[in-house]
Amino acid sequence: MADSSTSGELAASLRSLVSRMAPGERLPSSRDLIERYRVGPGTVSRAIAVLAAEGAVVTRPGVGTFVAPRRSRTAAAGDTSWQEVALAGREYDPGNATEAASPPPEGGVAMSGGYPHESLWPARALGNALARAARRPDAWHRAPAAGLEPLRALFARTAGGTVTAQDVLVTGGGQGALSMLFRAIAAPGGPVLMESPTYPGALAAARAAGLRPVPVPMDDGGIRPDLLADAFGMTGARLLYCQPTFHNPTGTVLTPDRRRQVVEVARAAGAFLIEDDFARHLGHGRPAPPPLVDDDPDGTVVYLTSLTKPASPSLRIGAVIARGPVTRRLLGMRYVDDFFVTRPLQEAAVELLSTPAWDRHLQALSGALRERCATLAGALQRHVPDWTVTRIPQGGLHLWVRLPQGSQATAVADAARSRGVFVNPGDRYFPAEAPGPFLRLNFAAPADLTELTEATTRLT
């Protein structure tokens, strides 16, 4: 085995070896494995750890590694039908809001999902930040319920305006925080106003909280304040969920005049406005407008952001910014739900955001997203000219594409899948009936520009 062999390859070789050995039989020593497979001690340790986690071997420090007793892989099938009765009366239907977690099959190209390809993650900076965080003497101490003070200050600085660290609650990413906000602010059975279209994860979280999503139409300037006022008046809603900057899925940015109007409409209705600013760090070169919470001293806006999109799906660190009694309620829910966000991850986030490497990463990410967006838009125009890109966004990860009238978005997505390209049909993004056939295409998910262009040719 060559020096470049990975611990995964060694684990596969050892797995084969173990399958031919008897339970209780001792594996070759680490020194023997190093010599036999020509790998380093660390590679051997990691491979043995993998097999131990699988239950294939048992390690005895100072003695050796032994084949574990064989376990029966067959078990009598249980009868879980009783759960249908036990769960009756508490409806939970996330619909098709969940994103595919597994990578596409070999040869397939993902243009679905909500994250950039791993090549766009700041892998080295993340590793260095985590290593530095782990060396802190208090890294494994209990974290404050509201989050580490330095991290809260960093999020407050990003929001700008009069926001202070005391207004910030650190969360375990954005999705869980969104679920918490819906449960904390609105009563089950009540309405929640949402842009149409909107983020499917928000629709799922609202429905799981027992809320009733009510669509408010958008145009090129974002959500329409006049129809928003009508919706508040007709439904009596006390909550609006919106994405004013680089909206998912359309990429729309709420116009400057409407930004103030939307907050004023919500305030006049005595309602909260959840501002989901998930794409704050996903701009394509131009500065993003300031958040709505930047100019909201009265606590109408509850602000939500996260580091998972620009950094990594596994950096589950986000923040909620709120003022007034709702802050105490959210902190109370933290004590009920999970006490605090794991401290090592918070420490790593502080390390990451405090270094020049983070700014360099954001600059590189901005250029890469801009290039990918232009590449996909141009390829679509060449290969599927009857598809209409609704806008070239100035930020975010997606293009929102209108299909020819009479098309069925699900059928088009199924046909693309049969050719090895995975896309999101647009029906899932609407709180009610879709006004037409749409697709959402993630230009950040493919491995590179070549794969992105190749995927587009398969859509024809």
Side-chain angles (χ1 to χ4, degrees):
M1 184 174 291
D3 290 340
S4 60
S5 299
T6 65
S7 58
E9 292 171 326
L10 178 58
S13 298
L14 295 182
R15 204 176 285 117
S16 176
L17 175 64
V18 166
S19 69
R20 300 190 299 271
M21 299 173 67
E25 190 173 351
R26 187 177 183 274
L27 269 68
S29 68
S30 293
R31 179 177 297 178
D32 290 340
L33 294 176
I34 290 170
E35 293 178 356
R36 179 184 302 184
Y37 293 102
R38 294 191 296 171
V39 296
T43 300
V44 171
S45 297
R46 288 191 292 271
I48 293 295
V50 169
L51 267 64
E54 295 173 353
V57 299
V58 176
T59 58
R60 299 174 187 167
V63 179
T65 303
F66 300 84
V67 178
R70 310 291 190 208
R71 292 183 298 178
S72 173
R73 295 183 179 275
T74 60
D79 180 7
T80 61
S81 57
W82 65 271
Q83 294 186 8
E84 297 181 39
V85 178
L87 293 172
R90 181 62 176 97
E91 297 299 327
Y92 173 65
D93 179 16
N96 57 357
T98 55
E99 301 283 5
S102 57
E106 186 175 353
V109 181
M111 298 178 72
S112 57
Y115 292 99
H117 188 267
E118 62 183 270
S119 62
L120 299 177
W121 304 347
R124 178 175 295 181
L126 283 167
N128 291 339
L130 194 59
R132 291 193 300 270
R135 291 195 293 268
R136 294 191 175 195
D138 54 355
W140 292 99
H141 290 192
R142 176 171 176 152
L148 299 181
E149 189 71 16
L151 185 55
R152 297 170 72 192
L154 286 166
F155 277 119
R157 189 172 66 191
T158 299
T162 60
V163 175
T164 69
Q166 301 310 306
D167 301 322
V168 178
L169 173 67
V170 176
T171 67
Q175 186 64 31
L178 184 56
S179 177
M180 175 182 67
L181 290 175
F182 284 142
R183 290 183 287 117
I185 296 175
V192 53
L193 306 187
M194 292 183 163
E195 297 150 317
S196 182
T198 192
Y199 166 49
L203 290 170
R207 288 167 177 152
L211 305 182
R212 176 169 51 89
V214 177
V216 181
M218 302 173 62
D219 59 20
D220 288 342
I223 192 170
R224 291 181 50 181
D226 56 336
L227 297 181
L228 177 62
D230 291 343
F232 273 124
M234 289 187 294
T235 65
R238 292 295 179 265
L239 179 60
L240 164 67
Y241 166 82
C242 67
Q243 304 164 86
T245 304
F246 310 140
H247 171 267
N248 177 14
T250 68
T252 304
V253 175
L254 193 62
T255 59
D257 57 323
R258 290 190 184 183
R259 299 178 85 82
R260 179 175 295 276
Q261 290 179 50
V262 166
V263 175
E264 291 175 348
V265 168
R267 184 179 295 128
F272 286 98
L273 186 161
I274 297 176
E275 177 184 10
D276 188 348
D277 201 19
F278 76 99
R280 170 63 38 183
H281 299 300
L282 301 178
H284 296 178
R286 296 182 182 178
L292 302 184
V293 74
D294 173 59
D295 186 26
D296 174 48
D298 301 327
T300 297
V301 178
V302 177
Y303 177 86
L304 171 63
T305 191
S306 170
L307 299 178
T308 59
K309 303 292 187 184
S312 163
S314 284
L315 188 62
R316 306 302 302 174
I317 294 292
V320 167
I321 294 174
R323 296 183 174 101
V326 70
T327 307
R328 294 190 290 275
R329 178 173 294 191
L330 294 172
L331 190 58
M333 293 189 73
R334 159 59 50 77
Y335 285 113
V336 171
D337 286 351
D338 55 11
F339 295 113
F340 57 90
V341 175
T342 178
R343 182 163 190 152
L345 209 55
Q346 290 194 61
E347 297 280 13
V350 172
E351 291 285 352
L352 178 67
L353 299 182
S354 301
T355 62
W358 177 245
D359 292 331
R360 290 196 298 269
H361 163 66
L362 292 181
Q363 185 174 4
L365 179 63
S366 173
L369 293 179
R370 181 172 62 251
E371 185 178 23
R372 284 164 169 262
C373 179
T375 298
L376 178 57
L380 289 173
Q381 187 174 24
R382 290 193 303 273
H383 297 293
V384 278
D386 55 340
W387 292 13
T388 303
V389 176
T390 58
R391 70 176 38 77
I392 303 298
Q394 297 302 310
L397 308 173
H398 312 102
L399 288 184
W400 186 238
V401 178
R402 179 185 285 273
L403 300 174
Q405 196 63 32
S407 301
Q408 296 293 325
T410 301
V412 173
D414 289 342
R417 186 181 300 110
S418 70
R419 302 184 186 105
V421 181
F422 297 79
V423 301
N424 292 128
D427 297 3
R428 57 187 294 199
Y429 295 86
F430 292 92
E433 294 80 8
F438 294 89
L439 295 180
R440 193 194 71 171
L441 307 179
N442 184 339
F443 50 75
D448 51 34
L449 296 178
T450 300
E451 187 174 88
L452 183 63
T453 304
E454 165 62 23
T456 311
T457 63
R458 299 187 199 175
L459 296 174
T460 57

